[in-house]
Amino acid sequence: MSTPPFPKLPAGFRFGAATSAYQIEGAHDEDGRGPSVWDTFSHTPGRTHAGATGDVAADHYHRHREDVALLRELGVDSYRFSIAWSRLLPEGVGPVNPKGLDFYDRLIDDLLAAGVAPAVTLYHWDLPQALEDRGGWRVRETAEAFAAYAALAAERYGDRVERWITLNEPYCSAFVGYAEGRHAPGAREGRGALAAAHHLLVGHGLAVGALRASGAREIGITLNLDRIHAASDRPEDRAALRRAETLHNEIWTEPLFAGRHPRDETETWAGLADGPWRRPGDLELIGAPLDFVGLNFYRPLTVAAAPHQAADPEQRTAVDIGVTELDPYGTRHTTMGWPVVPSAFTELLRDLHARYPQLPPIWITENGSAEADTVSPDGRVHDPDRIAYLADHLAAVADAVAAGVDVRGYYAWSLLDNFEWARGYDQRFGLVHVDYATLTRTPKDSYHWYRGLITAHRAGTEEPAR
Protein backbone atom coordinates (compact mmCIF):
# COMPACT_ATOMS: atom_id res chain seq x y z
CA MET A 1 0.00 0.00 0.00
CA SER A 2 1.48 3.35 -1.05
CA THR A 3 1.67 6.14 1.50
CA PRO A 4 -1.16 8.65 0.94
CA PRO A 5 -0.36 12.30 0.32
CA PHE A 6 -0.62 14.85 3.11
CA PRO A 7 -4.00 16.64 3.16
CA LYS A 8 -3.88 20.40 2.60
CA LEU A 9 -5.22 22.46 5.48
CA PRO A 10 -5.16 26.23 5.93
CA ALA A 11 -2.53 28.30 7.70
CA GLY A 12 -3.21 28.44 11.42
CA PHE A 13 -4.74 24.95 11.51
CA ARG A 14 -3.35 23.09 14.51
CA PHE A 15 -2.58 19.46 15.21
CA GLY A 16 -2.65 17.51 18.43
CA ALA A 17 -3.07 14.09 20.02
CA ALA A 18 -5.50 13.01 22.72
CA THR A 19 -5.85 10.58 25.63
CA SER A 20 -8.01 10.19 28.75
CA ALA A 21 -7.06 9.61 32.37
CA TYR A 22 -8.61 6.23 33.14
CA GLN A 23 -7.47 4.80 29.83
CA ILE A 24 -3.77 5.49 30.34
CA GLU A 25 -2.85 6.62 33.86
CA GLY A 26 -3.03 3.46 35.97
CA ALA A 27 -1.99 4.05 39.61
CA HIS A 28 -5.64 3.53 40.43
CA ASP A 29 -5.12 3.40 44.20
CA GLU A 30 -1.92 5.40 44.62
CA ASP A 31 -1.22 8.79 46.19
CA GLY A 32 -4.71 9.33 47.51
CA ARG A 33 -6.75 8.77 44.37
CA GLY A 34 -10.31 7.67 45.14
CA PRO A 35 -12.21 5.02 43.17
CA SER A 36 -14.27 5.98 40.13
CA VAL A 37 -17.24 4.25 38.57
CA TRP A 38 -14.85 2.67 36.08
CA ASP A 39 -12.82 1.09 38.86
CA THR A 40 -16.00 -0.45 40.22
CA PHE A 41 -17.34 -1.45 36.81
CA SER A 42 -14.13 -3.00 35.51
CA HIS A 43 -13.64 -4.98 38.73
CA THR A 44 -17.13 -6.47 38.39
CA PRO A 45 -16.92 -9.91 36.72
CA GLY A 46 -18.30 -10.03 33.18
CA ARG A 47 -18.29 -6.30 32.56
CA THR A 48 -15.13 -5.98 30.46
CA HIS A 49 -13.37 -8.09 27.85
CA ALA A 50 -11.20 -10.70 29.59
CA GLY A 51 -11.83 -8.95 32.91
CA ALA A 52 -9.52 -6.07 31.98
CA THR A 53 -9.20 -3.07 34.29
CA GLY A 54 -7.45 0.29 34.20
CA ASP A 55 -5.42 -0.51 37.31
CA VAL A 56 -2.15 -0.17 35.35
CA ALA A 57 -3.29 0.71 31.80
CA ALA A 58 -0.30 2.35 30.07
CA ASP A 59 1.19 3.43 33.45
CA HIS A 60 1.20 7.07 32.32
CA TYR A 61 1.11 8.21 35.95
CA HIS A 62 4.67 6.95 36.41
CA ARG A 63 5.84 7.39 32.80
CA HIS A 64 4.35 10.73 31.84
CA ARG A 65 7.74 12.28 31.07
CA GLU A 66 8.41 9.54 28.53
CA ASP A 67 5.02 10.27 26.97
CA VAL A 68 5.66 14.01 26.91
CA ALA A 69 8.92 13.29 25.08
CA LEU A 70 6.91 11.34 22.49
CA LEU A 71 4.61 14.34 22.06
CA ARG A 72 7.57 16.69 21.65
CA GLU A 73 9.11 14.41 19.02
CA LEU A 74 5.74 14.10 17.28
CA GLY A 75 5.67 17.88 16.92
CA VAL A 76 2.07 18.45 17.98
CA ASP A 77 0.86 21.91 18.91
CA SER A 78 -1.41 20.66 21.67
CA TYR A 79 -2.10 17.64 23.87
CA ARG A 80 -5.63 16.88 24.99
CA PHE A 81 -5.78 14.89 28.22
CA SER A 82 -8.30 14.51 31.01
CA ILE A 83 -8.02 15.04 34.73
CA ALA A 84 -9.22 12.21 36.94
CA TRP A 85 -11.83 13.90 39.15
CA SER A 86 -11.23 11.39 41.97
CA ARG A 87 -7.48 12.04 41.87
CA LEU A 88 -8.12 15.65 42.89
CA LEU A 89 -11.21 15.02 45.04
CA PRO A 90 -11.28 11.38 46.20
CA GLU A 91 -14.93 11.65 47.27
CA GLY A 92 -15.94 13.96 44.43
CA VAL A 93 -16.45 16.76 46.96
CA GLY A 94 -14.79 17.69 50.21
CA PRO A 95 -11.07 17.36 51.02
CA VAL A 96 -8.62 17.98 48.20
CA ASN A 97 -5.82 15.50 47.49
CA PRO A 98 -2.54 17.48 47.27
CA LYS A 99 -0.66 14.67 45.54
CA GLY A 100 -3.31 14.57 42.81
CA LEU A 101 -2.99 18.31 42.27
CA ASP A 102 0.79 17.95 42.11
CA PHE A 103 0.69 15.23 39.42
CA TYR A 104 -1.16 17.45 36.95
CA ASP A 105 1.12 20.37 37.85
CA ARG A 106 4.07 18.24 36.78
CA LEU A 107 2.36 17.08 33.60
CA ILE A 108 1.31 20.59 32.57
CA ASP A 109 4.72 22.10 33.32
CA ASP A 110 6.48 19.34 31.39
CA LEU A 111 4.16 19.87 28.41
CA LEU A 112 4.86 23.60 28.38
CA ALA A 113 8.61 22.97 28.62
CA ALA A 114 8.25 20.70 25.57
CA GLY A 115 6.40 23.41 23.62
CA VAL A 116 3.07 21.58 23.75
CA ALA A 117 -0.06 23.48 24.80
CA PRO A 118 -2.20 21.66 27.41
CA ALA A 119 -5.89 21.12 26.58
CA VAL A 120 -7.77 19.75 29.60
CA THR A 121 -10.94 17.65 29.58
CA LEU A 122 -12.56 17.85 32.99
CA TYR A 123 -14.82 14.82 32.62
CA HIS A 124 -14.02 11.77 30.51
CA TRP A 125 -16.52 9.34 32.08
CA ASP A 126 -14.72 8.57 35.38
CA LEU A 127 -17.23 9.82 37.94
CA PRO A 128 -16.04 9.42 41.54
CA GLN A 129 -17.76 6.34 42.92
CA ALA A 130 -18.79 8.24 46.04
CA LEU A 131 -20.97 10.51 43.88
CA GLU A 132 -22.49 7.57 42.02
CA ASP A 133 -23.38 6.08 45.38
CA ARG A 134 -25.45 9.22 46.02
CA GLY A 135 -27.29 9.03 42.70
CA GLY A 136 -24.64 9.88 40.12
CA TRP A 137 -25.69 11.97 37.15
CA ARG A 138 -29.33 11.13 37.86
CA VAL A 139 -29.31 13.86 40.54
CA ARG A 140 -28.60 17.56 40.31
CA GLU A 141 -26.14 17.49 43.20
CA THR A 142 -23.61 15.81 40.90
CA ALA A 143 -23.83 18.72 38.45
CA GLU A 144 -23.20 21.13 41.32
CA ALA A 145 -20.25 19.05 42.54
CA PHE A 146 -18.86 19.08 38.99
CA ALA A 147 -18.91 22.89 38.94
CA ALA A 148 -16.98 23.01 42.23
CA TYR A 149 -14.42 20.57 40.83
CA ALA A 150 -14.11 22.71 37.66
CA ALA A 151 -13.48 25.78 39.81
CA LEU A 152 -10.75 23.95 41.75
CA ALA A 153 -9.01 22.79 38.56
CA ALA A 154 -9.22 26.22 36.94
CA GLU A 155 -7.87 27.96 40.03
CA ARG A 156 -4.90 25.61 40.11
CA TYR A 157 -4.10 25.25 36.41
CA GLY A 158 -5.89 28.07 34.60
CA ASP A 159 -2.79 30.20 34.10
CA ARG A 160 -1.19 27.41 32.05
CA VAL A 161 -4.03 25.62 30.25
CA GLU A 162 -4.86 26.83 26.76
CA ARG A 163 -8.17 25.04 26.23
CA TRP A 164 -10.81 23.62 28.60
CA ILE A 165 -13.36 20.94 27.68
CA THR A 166 -16.11 20.41 30.23
CA LEU A 167 -17.51 17.03 29.14
CA ASN A 168 -16.36 14.36 26.73
CA GLU A 169 -19.14 12.59 24.83
CA PRO A 170 -22.05 13.04 27.25
CA TYR A 171 -24.01 10.63 25.00
CA CYS A 172 -21.83 7.78 26.25
CA SER A 173 -22.03 8.88 29.88
CA ALA A 174 -25.84 9.17 29.81
CA PHE A 175 -26.95 6.46 27.42
CA VAL A 176 -24.18 3.86 27.15
CA GLY A 177 -23.70 4.07 30.93
CA TYR A 178 -27.22 4.58 32.28
CA ALA A 179 -29.40 3.01 29.54
CA GLU A 180 -27.42 0.37 27.60
CA GLY A 181 -25.41 -0.76 30.62
CA ARG A 182 -22.31 -1.42 28.50
CA HIS A 183 -20.30 1.26 30.30
CA ALA A 184 -20.03 2.35 33.90
CA PRO A 185 -22.12 2.46 36.01
CA GLY A 186 -23.80 -0.35 34.03
CA ALA A 187 -27.43 0.71 34.48
CA ARG A 188 -30.39 0.06 32.17
CA GLU A 189 -32.86 2.84 32.80
CA GLY A 190 -35.33 5.14 31.09
CA ARG A 191 -35.95 8.14 33.31
CA GLY A 192 -32.60 7.75 35.04
CA ALA A 193 -30.70 8.00 31.75
CA LEU A 194 -32.68 11.02 30.58
CA ALA A 195 -32.17 12.70 33.94
CA ALA A 196 -28.46 11.96 33.60
CA ALA A 197 -28.38 13.54 30.14
CA HIS A 198 -30.00 16.70 31.45
CA HIS A 199 -27.80 16.93 34.54
CA LEU A 200 -24.67 16.44 32.44
CA LEU A 201 -25.71 19.52 30.46
CA VAL A 202 -26.54 21.42 33.64
CA GLY A 203 -23.13 20.45 35.00
CA HIS A 204 -21.57 21.71 31.78
CA GLY A 205 -23.37 25.04 32.10
CA LEU A 206 -22.38 25.45 35.74
CA ALA A 207 -18.77 24.53 34.92
CA VAL A 208 -18.66 27.09 32.10
CA GLY A 209 -19.65 29.74 34.63
CA ALA A 210 -17.01 28.56 37.08
CA LEU A 211 -14.33 28.53 34.38
CA ARG A 212 -15.30 32.00 33.14
CA ALA A 213 -15.14 33.34 36.70
CA SER A 214 -11.61 31.97 37.01
CA GLY A 215 -10.47 33.71 33.83
CA ALA A 216 -10.06 30.50 31.81
CA ARG A 217 -9.12 31.16 28.21
CA GLU A 218 -10.94 28.90 25.73
CA ILE A 219 -13.94 26.89 26.95
CA GLY A 220 -15.97 24.28 25.09
CA ILE A 221 -17.60 20.86 25.19
CA THR A 222 -16.86 17.71 23.19
CA LEU A 223 -19.75 15.84 21.52
CA ASN A 224 -19.73 12.58 19.60
CA LEU A 225 -22.35 13.56 17.05
CA ASP A 226 -23.31 11.06 14.38
CA ARG A 227 -23.95 11.38 10.67
CA ILE A 228 -27.09 9.24 10.42
CA HIS A 229 -28.80 7.97 7.27
CA ALA A 230 -32.21 6.35 6.87
CA ALA A 231 -32.18 2.85 5.42
CA SER A 232 -34.88 3.86 2.91
CA ASP A 233 -37.37 6.59 2.09
CA ARG A 234 -40.20 4.61 3.65
CA PRO A 235 -42.10 6.80 6.17
CA GLU A 236 -41.32 4.43 9.03
CA ASP A 237 -37.57 4.57 8.31
CA ARG A 238 -37.66 8.35 8.01
CA ALA A 239 -39.42 8.47 11.40
CA ALA A 240 -36.75 6.17 12.82
CA LEU A 241 -34.12 8.58 11.51
CA ARG A 242 -35.78 11.46 13.38
CA ARG A 243 -35.79 9.47 16.61
CA ALA A 244 -32.15 8.51 16.14
CA GLU A 245 -31.22 12.14 15.47
CA THR A 246 -32.96 13.09 18.70
CA LEU A 247 -31.16 10.45 20.76
CA HIS A 248 -27.69 10.83 19.27
CA ASN A 249 -27.49 14.49 18.34
CA GLU A 250 -30.29 16.89 19.11
CA ILE A 251 -30.61 16.16 22.82
CA TRP A 252 -27.22 17.92 23.02
CA THR A 253 -27.11 20.37 20.13
CA GLU A 254 -30.57 21.89 20.53
CA PRO A 255 -30.11 23.02 24.17
CA LEU A 256 -26.49 24.03 23.59
CA PHE A 257 -26.84 25.95 20.33
CA ALA A 258 -30.54 26.72 19.82
CA GLY A 259 -31.83 27.26 23.35
CA ARG A 260 -34.55 24.61 23.15
CA HIS A 261 -35.27 20.94 23.71
CA PRO A 262 -35.45 18.57 20.70
CA ARG A 263 -38.69 18.96 18.74
CA ASP A 264 -39.17 15.17 18.43
CA GLU A 265 -38.44 14.24 22.04
CA THR A 266 -42.03 13.21 22.80
CA GLU A 267 -42.15 10.98 19.72
CA THR A 268 -38.79 9.50 20.75
CA TRP A 269 -39.39 8.91 24.46
CA ALA A 270 -43.15 9.35 24.93
CA GLY A 271 -43.93 10.12 28.57
CA LEU A 272 -40.28 9.84 29.64
CA ALA A 273 -39.14 12.94 27.78
CA ASP A 274 -40.01 15.84 30.06
CA GLY A 275 -39.19 14.97 33.65
CA PRO A 276 -39.04 16.80 36.98
CA TRP A 277 -35.28 17.17 36.59
CA ARG A 278 -35.84 20.21 34.34
CA ARG A 279 -35.97 23.57 36.09
CA PRO A 280 -36.77 27.10 34.92
CA GLY A 281 -33.62 28.77 33.64
CA ASP A 282 -31.83 25.53 32.75
CA LEU A 283 -31.84 26.19 29.02
CA GLU A 284 -30.24 29.60 29.53
CA LEU A 285 -27.62 28.00 31.78
CA ILE A 286 -26.86 25.19 29.33
CA GLY A 287 -26.72 27.53 26.35
CA ALA A 288 -24.04 29.86 27.75
CA PRO A 289 -21.77 31.03 24.90
CA LEU A 290 -18.77 28.83 24.14
CA ASP A 291 -15.43 29.54 22.49
CA PHE A 292 -15.47 26.27 20.55
CA VAL A 293 -17.23 22.93 20.23
CA GLY A 294 -15.24 19.72 20.11
CA LEU A 295 -16.38 17.00 17.74
CA ASN A 296 -15.43 13.32 17.91
CA PHE A 297 -16.08 11.23 14.82
CA TYR A 298 -15.30 7.63 13.85
CA ARG A 299 -18.07 6.23 11.61
CA PRO A 300 -21.60 6.95 10.27
CA LEU A 301 -24.85 5.18 11.15
CA THR A 302 -27.71 3.88 9.02
CA VAL A 303 -30.99 3.19 10.80
CA ALA A 304 -34.29 1.47 10.06
CA ALA A 305 -37.53 1.19 11.99
CA ALA A 306 -37.87 -1.61 14.54
CA PRO A 307 -40.42 -2.45 17.23
CA HIS A 308 -39.86 -0.99 20.68
CA GLN A 309 -38.54 -3.71 22.96
CA ALA A 310 -41.32 -2.97 25.47
CA ALA A 311 -44.69 -1.49 24.59
CA ASP A 312 -45.02 0.38 27.90
CA PRO A 313 -42.67 3.42 27.79
CA GLU A 314 -42.19 3.12 31.54
CA GLN A 315 -40.56 -0.29 30.95
CA ARG A 316 -38.21 0.87 28.18
CA THR A 317 -34.71 2.14 28.56
CA ALA A 318 -33.85 5.49 27.01
CA VAL A 319 -32.22 3.79 24.02
CA ASP A 320 -35.23 1.59 23.17
CA ILE A 321 -36.62 4.01 20.59
CA GLY A 322 -37.75 1.66 17.82
CA VAL A 323 -34.57 1.85 15.76
CA THR A 324 -32.19 -0.80 14.45
CA GLU A 325 -28.74 -0.08 13.01
CA LEU A 326 -27.70 -1.46 9.61
CA ASP A 327 -24.37 -1.54 7.82
CA PRO A 328 -24.89 -1.00 4.09
CA TYR A 329 -21.58 0.73 3.42
CA GLY A 330 -19.54 -2.04 1.82
CA THR A 331 -16.26 -0.49 2.93
CA ARG A 332 -13.32 -1.55 5.01
CA HIS A 333 -14.04 -1.85 8.73
CA THR A 334 -11.71 -1.17 11.64
CA THR A 335 -11.22 -3.86 14.28
CA MET A 336 -13.99 -2.16 16.27
CA GLY A 337 -16.31 -3.24 13.44
CA TRP A 338 -16.86 0.36 12.32
CA PRO A 339 -17.20 1.17 8.60
CA VAL A 340 -14.68 3.62 7.19
CA VAL A 341 -16.66 6.35 5.37
CA PRO A 342 -14.70 9.63 5.36
CA SER A 343 -17.30 11.45 3.22
CA ALA A 344 -19.75 11.13 6.12
CA PHE A 345 -17.36 13.26 8.18
CA THR A 346 -17.62 16.10 5.66
CA GLU A 347 -21.41 15.70 5.58
CA LEU A 348 -21.64 15.91 9.37
CA LEU A 349 -19.49 19.02 9.56
CA ARG A 350 -21.37 20.80 6.77
CA ASP A 351 -24.77 19.86 8.22
CA LEU A 352 -23.84 21.09 11.69
CA HIS A 353 -22.54 24.36 10.25
CA ALA A 354 -25.73 24.89 8.23
CA ARG A 355 -28.12 23.92 11.04
CA TYR A 356 -26.71 26.20 13.73
CA PRO A 357 -25.69 29.64 12.44
CA GLN A 358 -24.37 30.65 15.89
CA LEU A 359 -22.18 27.56 16.20
CA PRO A 360 -18.75 28.41 17.64
CA PRO A 361 -15.56 27.27 15.89
CA ILE A 362 -15.07 23.50 15.74
CA TRP A 363 -12.12 21.46 16.95
CA ILE A 364 -11.90 17.80 15.98
CA THR A 365 -11.12 16.46 19.43
CA GLU A 366 -10.99 12.76 18.48
CA ASN A 367 -10.62 10.84 15.26
CA GLY A 368 -8.70 7.64 14.61
CA SER A 369 -8.93 3.92 13.98
CA ALA A 370 -8.41 0.67 15.85
CA GLU A 371 -6.24 -1.76 13.90
CA ALA A 372 -4.59 -5.15 14.46
CA ASP A 373 -1.14 -3.80 15.31
CA THR A 374 1.90 -5.93 16.10
CA VAL A 375 5.59 -5.23 16.40
CA SER A 376 7.30 -6.67 13.31
CA PRO A 377 10.66 -8.49 13.29
CA ASP A 378 12.22 -5.22 12.10
CA GLY A 379 11.12 -3.58 15.38
CA ARG A 380 8.56 -1.37 13.65
CA VAL A 381 4.77 -1.31 13.81
CA HIS A 382 3.47 -1.11 10.26
CA ASP A 383 -0.09 0.23 10.24
CA PRO A 384 -0.92 1.37 6.68
CA ASP A 385 -4.67 1.14 7.25
CA ARG A 386 -4.47 3.67 10.08
CA ILE A 387 -2.39 6.02 7.94
CA ALA A 388 -4.99 5.78 5.18
CA TYR A 389 -7.77 6.39 7.71
CA LEU A 390 -6.08 9.50 9.11
CA ALA A 391 -5.23 10.86 5.67
CA ASP A 392 -8.74 10.33 4.30
CA HIS A 393 -10.47 11.83 7.33
CA LEU A 394 -8.18 14.84 7.40
CA ALA A 395 -8.94 15.29 3.70
CA ALA A 396 -12.64 15.16 4.63
CA VAL A 397 -12.02 17.92 7.18
CA ALA A 398 -10.21 19.91 4.49
CA ASP A 399 -13.26 19.52 2.22
CA ALA A 400 -15.51 20.87 4.98
CA VAL A 401 -13.17 23.82 5.57
CA ALA A 402 -13.19 24.58 1.84
CA ALA A 403 -17.02 24.60 2.03
CA GLY A 404 -16.91 27.29 4.74
CA VAL A 405 -16.95 25.28 7.96
CA ASP A 406 -14.78 26.88 10.65
CA VAL A 407 -12.59 24.00 11.85
CA ARG A 408 -9.53 25.16 13.81
CA GLY A 409 -7.66 21.97 14.62
CA TYR A 410 -7.49 18.18 14.88
CA TYR A 411 -6.53 15.82 17.68
CA ALA A 412 -5.66 12.27 16.64
CA TRP A 413 -7.04 9.54 18.87
CA SER A 414 -4.98 8.31 20.47
CA LEU A 415 -1.39 9.06 21.40
CA LEU A 416 -1.05 5.65 23.08
CA ASP A 417 -2.64 2.25 22.89
CA ASN A 418 -4.80 2.11 26.00
CA PHE A 419 -7.63 0.58 27.99
CA GLU A 420 -10.52 0.71 25.51
CA TRP A 421 -13.26 0.71 28.15
CA ALA A 422 -15.45 -2.43 28.06
CA ARG A 423 -13.34 -3.72 25.14
CA GLY A 424 -10.33 -3.97 27.43
CA TYR A 425 -6.95 -4.18 25.71
CA ASP A 426 -7.82 -5.98 22.47
CA GLN A 427 -8.41 -2.73 20.54
CA ARG A 428 -5.44 -0.53 19.63
CA PHE A 429 -6.02 3.09 18.59
CA GLY A 430 -2.59 4.51 19.39
CA LEU A 431 -0.03 6.24 17.27
CA VAL A 432 2.34 4.61 19.75
CA HIS A 433 2.23 0.86 20.43
CA VAL A 434 2.24 -0.17 24.10
CA ASP A 435 3.43 -3.63 25.08
CA TYR A 436 1.21 -4.20 28.10
CA ALA A 437 3.56 -6.81 29.58
CA THR A 438 6.60 -4.51 29.59
CA LEU A 439 4.95 -1.09 29.00
CA THR A 440 7.50 -0.45 26.25
CA ARG A 441 6.43 2.31 23.86
CA THR A 442 7.07 1.87 20.12
CA PRO A 443 6.03 4.65 17.72
CA LYS A 444 4.08 3.18 14.82
CA ASP A 445 4.44 4.11 11.16
CA SER A 446 1.33 6.29 11.63
CA TYR A 447 3.22 8.29 14.29
CA HIS A 448 5.98 9.00 11.79
CA TRP A 449 3.42 9.83 9.06
CA TYR A 450 1.58 12.24 11.36
CA ARG A 451 4.86 13.89 12.33
CA GLY A 452 5.66 14.32 8.65
CA LEU A 453 2.24 15.85 8.02
CA ILE A 454 2.73 18.37 10.84
CA THR A 455 6.20 19.28 9.60
CA ALA A 456 5.01 19.69 6.01
CA HIS A 457 2.00 21.75 7.10
CA ARG A 458 4.18 24.20 9.01
CA ALA A 459 6.67 24.45 6.19
CA GLY A 460 3.92 25.08 3.66
CA THR A 461 1.85 27.60 5.61
CA GLU A 462 4.29 29.70 7.60
CA GLU A 463 4.83 33.24 6.42
CA PRO A 464 8.25 33.63 4.74
CA ALA A 465 10.85 35.65 6.64
CA ARG A 466 11.12 39.29 5.63
Side-chain angles (χ1 to χ4, degrees), residues 379-421:
R380 301 282 296 268
V381 180
H382 303 295
D383 56 343
D385 286 336
R386 180 176 292 107
I387 292 172
Y389 183 102
L390 295 172
D392 290 345
H393 283 77
L394 277 161
V397 172
D399 289 343
V401 171
V405 183
D406 187 0
V407 184
R408 301 289 178 86
Y410 176 96
Y411 291 89
W413 183 269
S414 172
L415 174 66
L416 303 171
D417 289 338
N418 54 42
F419 175 78
E420 186 48 42
W421 307 111

Side-chain angles (χ1 to χ4, degrees), residues 228-234 236-238 240-241 301-305 324-329:
I228 312 176
H229 306 96
S232 76
D233 286 330
R234 295 186 308 160
E236 55 267 40
D237 287 344
R238 300 299 300 178
L241 173 63
L301 297 175
T302 291
V303 299
T324 187
E325 295 180 9
L326 307 177
D327 186 355
Y329 299 101

Side-chain angles (χ1 to χ4, degrees), residues 118-409:
V120 167
T121 302
L122 287 168
Y123 186 69
H124 201 126
W125 308 354
D126 48 353
L127 184 70
Q129 182 62 44
L131 293 180
E132 178 60 29
D133 292 342
R134 295 197 286 273
W137 288 108
R138 306 173 190 85
V139 300
R140 198 176 189 94
E141 289 76 13
T142 298
E144 295 163 351
F146 180 62
Y149 154 58
L152 168 68
E155 179 181 355
R156 180 74 173 221
Y157 310 121
D159 60 329
R160 290 164 289 162
V161 170
E162 178 182 64
R163 187 167 302 106
W164 293 88
I165 295 167
T166 55
L167 306 174
N168 176 77
E169 298 187 359
Y171 173 89
C172 292
S173 299
F175 296 123
V176 185
Y178 285 95
E180 294 184 31
R182 291 190 296 111
H183 282 185
R188 291 185 53 80
E189 301 175 11
R191 291 187 181 279
L194 288 168
H198 183 71
H199 290 138
L200 281 156
L201 287 174
V202 169
H204 157 78
L206 291 170
V208 169
L211 292 167
R212 294 272 182 230
S214 77
R217 284 178 262 180
E218 296 182 38
I219 303 170
I221 186 173
T222 281
L223 305 173
N224 56 321
L225 304 179
D226 285 308
R227 178 60 175 171
I228 312 176
H229 306 96
S232 76
D233 286 330
R234 295 186 308 160
E236 55 267 40
D237 287 344
R238 300 299 300 178
L241 173 63
R242 290 297 317 140
R243 294 193 297 274
E245 286 278 3
T246 302
L247 171 67
H248 289 267
N249 298 337
E250 292 183 5
I251 193 172
W252 317 111
T253 58
E254 290 291 284
L256 285 166
F257 307 126
R260 62 191 177 226
H261 297 296
R263 63 186 182 272
D264 290 317
E265 64 177 8
T266 301
E267 159 65 16
T268 302
W269 291 296
L272 302 180
D274 185 2
W277 46 83
R278 291 180 180 173
R279 295 184 183 178
D282 279 356
L283 283 173
E284 291 76 14
L285 175 67
I286 293 165
L290 298 175
D291 301 302
F292 68 94
V293 58
L295 186 62
N296 295 353
F297 179 86
Y298 293 95
R299 83 288 181 262
L301 297 175
T302 291
V303 299
H308 289 329
Q309 292 183 13
D312 181 355
E314 295 293 336
Q315 300 300 314
R316 297 205 310 261
T317 74
V319 293
D320 293 330
I321 60 169
V323 165
T324 187
E325 295 180 9
L326 307 177
D327 186 355
Y329 299 101
T331 65
R332 188 183 78 82
H333 289 61
T334 69
T335 58
M336 290 287 287
W338 294 342
V340 178
V341 189
S343 60
F345 199 7
T346 308
E347 293 171 5
L348 176 63
L349 288 164
R350 294 185 65 172
D351 180 69
L352 194 63
H353 172 73
R355 185 175 299 191
Y356 299 106
Q358 303 306 314
L359 190 76
I362 296 170
W363 284 77
I364 308 306
T365 40
E366 287 183 27
N367 178 241
S369 67
E371 306 295 347
D373 301 321
T374 58
V375 179
S376 297
D378 63 3
R380 301 282 296 268
V381 180
H382 303 295
D383 56 343
D385 286 336
R386 180 176 292 107
I387 292 172
Y389 183 102
L390 295 172
D392 290 345
H393 283 77
L394 277 161
V397 172
D399 289 343
V401 171
V405 183
D406 187 0
V407 184
R408 301 289 178 86

